[in-house]
Amino acid sequence: MIDKKNILIGVTGGIAAYKVVEVASRLKKSGANVRVMMTSAATEFVSPRTFQEITGNAVFVEMFGDAAHFHVAHIALADFADMVLIAPATANFLAKAAHGIADDLLTTTILAFDREILIAPSMNTKMFENPATQANLEILKSRGMKILEPATGNLACGISGKGRLPEPVDICAAIEKIFTGTVLSGKKILVTAGGTVEAIDPVRYIGNRSSGRMGFEIAKAALSAGAEVILISGKSELAPPKNLKFVKTESAIEMREAVLKDFDSVDAVIMSAAVADYRVKNPAAQKIKKSAETLTLELVKNPDILKELGNLKKSQVLVGFAAETQNILEYANKKLVEKNLDFIVANDVTAEGAGFNVSTNIASIIWRGGEVENFPKMSKAELAEKIIERVADLLNKDKKFFPMNDNQ
Ligand code: C5P
């Protein structure tokens, strides 16, 4: 989730600033693009040079240090970042941020920033528990900033108590959590799940072994990533997840209608439903009675919903599934092209731990251009996360650039 994210770290003047060097290093190793701004007090504890070497990017301290760029530095930094981490956050920083004081580059940048801010306070226990600090934290929380509770333990001032900066690995985990919850915010995702039911008569139908699990997990992963989700489901015994629009359908024709109704308004469609290729041409109006030795049902082809979406597609990301029993990659690749998809998730439904009615899957993702990602056996929930991560990457691919010269 952190890969290719733009993370801005604001370091204020606390002894724990040295721990943030490790945070920057871990984020960078996870593939993030990391930039650091420091208050001048912070530079008493760690040299800007250290952060510069770790992140490979210039470090910003002075509001007016560079006459040619001073007027854009805070805006450019704010525009660059997908999220801001303030660590360690001093009591002084909390007070200034709570009251909108912008008297240096760091606090000014915070005012110009309107996305996720994670604050990791670190200070002496009495300073942390002081009602002024607590009131400031309440103000910041009420404005949507996330506060990482300080840990309890030995403090630099010699006492033991609450106020330690959490370990770098825990700070990084909190950042990861923020991205998990926001990569799809503002996006609308349509997911189909389950198997279609094609009536033979009012009692019988042609169906398939799909349980709906894969699609339901995808819908849940999209929800956790912050998306607005429409889940259109064929036959499935699963309880619909909360907080999404749930549309129950039966036949392929009904599913097609439901999907087309919302298609124009969504950013991505993930079609994991097992749609019947054929339906009974003339379903009987009454229950068919047992008489002749043989019974012939005439079947007609169902519309290929995904193929139709592939033709209609404007900017939507389209993901399909290929459940196969042989020649998996070859068939999947053919569908990828025929249905004009961004990627296809292929699996051998005969393999143990894959396919219908089990909670795990063994899948490959095939991209336009032939690139193949092979995944080991994993839960459908984990695979759903991988699929959602890739959809989010496609939807967020127009990355902001950083309009400043690092050598300045
Ligand atoms: O062609 P095939 O059925 O194997 O393709 C599978 C993919 O196409 C799945 O994503 C499935 O949901 C979708 N599909 C569809 N309409 C059909 C058949 C399959 O949208 N009639």
Side-chain angles (χ1 to χ4, degrees):
M1 285 293 178
I2 285 176
D3 188 34
K4 297 191 191 71
K5 292 288 176 294
N6 294 329
I7 301 178
L8 177 62
I9 305 180
V11 186
T12 70
I15 176 71
Y18 76 92
K19 282 192 188 172
V20 181
V21 175
E22 189 184 332
V23 174
S25 166
R26 282 176 177 273
L27 294 174
K28 172 100 180 142
K29 282 185 195 140
S30 303
N33 194 6
V34 184
R35 288 189 175 265
V36 175
M37 54 182 179
M38 304 174 78
T39 60
S40 72
T43 66
E44 298 288 330
F45 296 98
V46 177
S47 156
R49 180 117 216 158
T50 308
F51 281 113
Q52 185 172 317
E53 297 301 332
I54 291 284
T55 62
N57 285 320
V59 171
F60 294 81
V61 180
E62 301 293 336
M63 183 77 183
F64 303 107
D66 178 350
H69 291 88
F70 79 89
H71 61 293
V72 292
H74 57 284
I75 304 296
L77 282 165
D79 282 350
F80 151 82
D82 295 317
M83 66 98 46
V84 171
L85 164 72
I86 305 291
T90 58
N92 182 46
F93 166 79
L94 299 178
K96 287 201 280 185
H99 297 283
I101 294 170
D103 63 353
D104 60 12
L105 178 76
L106 191 149
T107 44
T108 310
T109 304
I110 293 297
L111 271 193
F113 188 72
D114 60 2
R115 271 154 284 153
E116 289 288 338
I117 301 180
L118 176 66
I119 297 176
S122 167
M123 64 200 72
N124 160 277
T125 309
K126 285 195 176 129
M127 289 173 77
F128 182 70
E129 286 172 353
N130 188 295
T133 304
Q134 288 300 315
N136 290 332
L137 282 168
E138 283 312 311
I139 293 175
L140 295 172
K141 274 190 217 165
S142 73
R143 295 192 186 135
M145 297 189 193
K146 299 229 158 48
I147 311 292
L148 199 55
E149 279 291 300
T152 301
N154 294 331
L155 300 175
C157 51
I159 64 152
S160 178
K162 191 168 179 179
R164 275 170 69 88
L165 189 72
E167 291 309 309
V169 61
D170 296 326
I171 298 178
C172 291
I175 292 175
E176 179 125 15
K177 216 165 150 202
I178 283 180
F179 281 120
T180 317
T182 59
V183 279
L184 285 182
S185 63
K187 305 285 184 206
K188 205 166 166 184
I189 310 291
L190 192 160
V191 184
T192 66
T196 63
V197 166
E198 308 296 338
I200 297 172
D201 66 20
V203 180
R204 289 91 168 205
Y205 61 84
I206 298 177
N208 59 63
R209 296 183 197 280
S210 169
S211 64
R213 278 192 204 165
M214 193 65 240
F216 277 54
E217 291 299 345
I218 293 171
K220 283 196 253 173
L223 270 180
S224 327
E228 185 186 337
V229 180
I230 304 170
L231 174 59
I232 299 178
S233 177
K235 189 171 165 32
S236 169
E237 303 301 323
L238 301 172
K242 291 196 176 70
N243 302 324
L244 50 66
K245 178 174 155 191
F246 186 71
V247 182
K248 189 97 188 127
T249 57
E250 289 217 324
S251 62
I253 300 273
E254 264 181 53
M255 184 173 275
R256 173 182 173 272
E257 267 168 36
V259 169
L260 288 181
K261 200 163 145 235
D262 282 309
F263 185 59
D264 281 345
S265 72
V266 301
D267 299 287
V269 176
I270 304 164
M271 192 81 203
S272 80
V275 185
D277 292 330
Y278 293 89
R279 68 178 180 279
V280 177
K281 189 175 179 189
N282 296 309
Q286 305 300 332
K287 186 178 172 193
I288 301 172
K289 300 310 283 179
K290 183 167 43 180
S291 55
E293 280 308 306
T294 60
L295 174 71
T296 306
L297 293 173
E298 192 181 352
L299 303 181
V300 287
K301 212 167 187 181
N302 262 332
D304 188 321
I305 307 170
L306 197 50
K307 197 168 173 186
E308 209 170 325
L309 300 184
N311 288 328
L312 293 173
K313 149 174 172 168
K314 294 188 190 89
S315 58
Q316 290 97 335
V317 165
L318 278 192
V319 178
F321 273 73
E324 302 293 347
T325 54
Q326 58 179 342
N327 302 338
I328 304 155
L329 293 186
E330 186 191 327
Y331 286 146
N333 205 36
K334 197 159 160 264
K335 286 175 197 172
L336 175 76
V337 177
E338 267 174 16
K339 304 189 190 208
N340 193 19
L341 310 178
D342 292 85
F343 66 83
I344 191 158
V345 186
N347 63 314
D348 178 349
V349 287
T350 62
E352 202 182 314
F356 301 124
N357 255 321
V358 285
S359 60
T360 52
N361 214 342
I362 307 167
S364 303
I365 285 184
I366 302 152
W367 293 84
R368 300 300 284 248
E371 198 194 323
V372 179
E373 292 181 84
N374 292 313
F375 298 113
K377 179 163 145 184
M378 57 177 68
S379 69
K380 286 185 175 168
E382 281 173 281
L383 181 61
E385 260 178 42
K386 303 244 174 262
I387 294 166
I388 287 300
E389 270 172 33
R390 281 152 185 77
V391 168
D393 280 349
L394 288 170
L395 290 175
N396 297 327
K397 69 173 179 284
D398 300 322
K399 281 267 155 207
K400 293 168 264 22
F401 67 101
F402 191 77
M404 298 186 81
N405 183 341
D406 275 349
N407 299 324
Q408 280 156 347

